[in-house]
Amino acid sequence: MLVRESPEGRAAGRIVETEGYVPLIDPASHAYRRRTNRNAPMWGPPGRAYVYFTYGMHYMVNLVTEPEGQAAAVLVRALEPLDGVDLMRRRRGVDKVRLLCSGPGKLCQALGIGAALNGAALQGPDLLVLPGDPVHEIVSTTRIGITRGVDLPWRFYEAGSNWVSRR
DNA sequence: TGAATGATGTTT
DNA sequence: AACATCATTCAT
């Protein structure tokens, strides 16, 4: 479960879809080659967020998972909205709950995650990752929206979930 | 229900 | 020039 605390209130959801990105062997990873200014948080200590801006209008949030220097991260692609649904609606300008967090750009907008949270602690005042209801059956597929590393089966989602980015 | 497309700014 | 996307539009 991913919790976002802000002055506007709390918004939270259960993580139901992710993608893995690793350095050196994964051509789709921002950290494929080396440390750059943008991907620096991926190379840092685990337990922090890597937030980046893409397509001129969307933020994406990753959870840095491996020890310093290893640059692996998990992209959060979809949440099952649990808390602060009305706040999410306001931020998204959308009514249907199904559309609030069913994509990496959508959930960042719904939770108010932007550049200010790049490098933020995942056990901090603004972001919090907690155990949620367990995911019992996980499906793995190839990743979405990439042009390299297309055969690596590193997208994972909860079987039968209504909240993932593709039905 | 699905394919095509434009929006928009940073990175390489 | 590409990009870890989304909402809208137009076609089936």
Side-chain angles (χ1 to χ4, degrees):
Chain A
M1 153 145 175
L2 179 61
V3 182
R4 159 68 165 148
E5 302 281 4
S6 77
E8 307 169 83
R10 156 188 291 226
R14 182 165 163 266
I15 299 171
V16 294
E17 178 181 349
T18 63
E19 282 176 0
Y21 289 88
V22 303
L24 308 178
I25 63 167
D26 177 7
S29 174
H30 290 174
Y32 178 40
R33 296 171 182 287
R34 64 184 184 281
R35 179 181 173 125
T36 65
N37 195 51
R38 175 168 79 153
N39 68 27
M42 291 183 82
W43 299 89
R48 304 226 278 233
Y50 166 48
V51 179
Y52 69 92
F53 181 69
T54 192
Y55 290 108
M57 54 182 72
H58 299 293
Y59 289 95
M60 312 277 143
V61 63
N62 293 253
L63 315 178
V64 177
T65 54
E66 298 300 313
E68 190 155 3
Q70 296 193 30
V74 170
L75 172 70
V76 182
R77 283 196 58 92
L79 302 176
E80 173 182 342
L82 292 182
D83 211 358
V85 169
D86 283 335
L87 175 54
M88 292 184 189
R89 275 201 254 257
R90 254 177 281 136
R91 284 177 172 147
R92 291 268 302 123
V94 162
D95 203 56
K96 293 179 177 245
V97 183
R98 160 106 19 100
L99 301 181
L100 291 179
C101 297
S102 53
K106 296 180 194 177
L107 87 256
C108 280
Q109 187 179 27
L111 299 200
I113 294 175
L117 290 187
N118 191 27
L122 298 177
Q123 302 286 329
D126 302 318
L127 284 178
L128 192 54
V129 174
L130 297 174
D133 282 357
V135 173
H136 285 114
E137 189 180 347
I138 298 175
V139 182
S140 115
T141 72
T142 55
R143 296 171 293 181
I144 293 180
I146 54 171
T147 59
R148 291 142 42 192
V150 291
D151 293 328
L152 297 168
W154 291 344
R155 172 181 180 234
F156 307 95
Y157 64 90
E158 180 179 44
S161 173
N162 290 318
W163 310 104
V164 299
S165 61
R166 297 196 176 174
R167 313 206 80 221

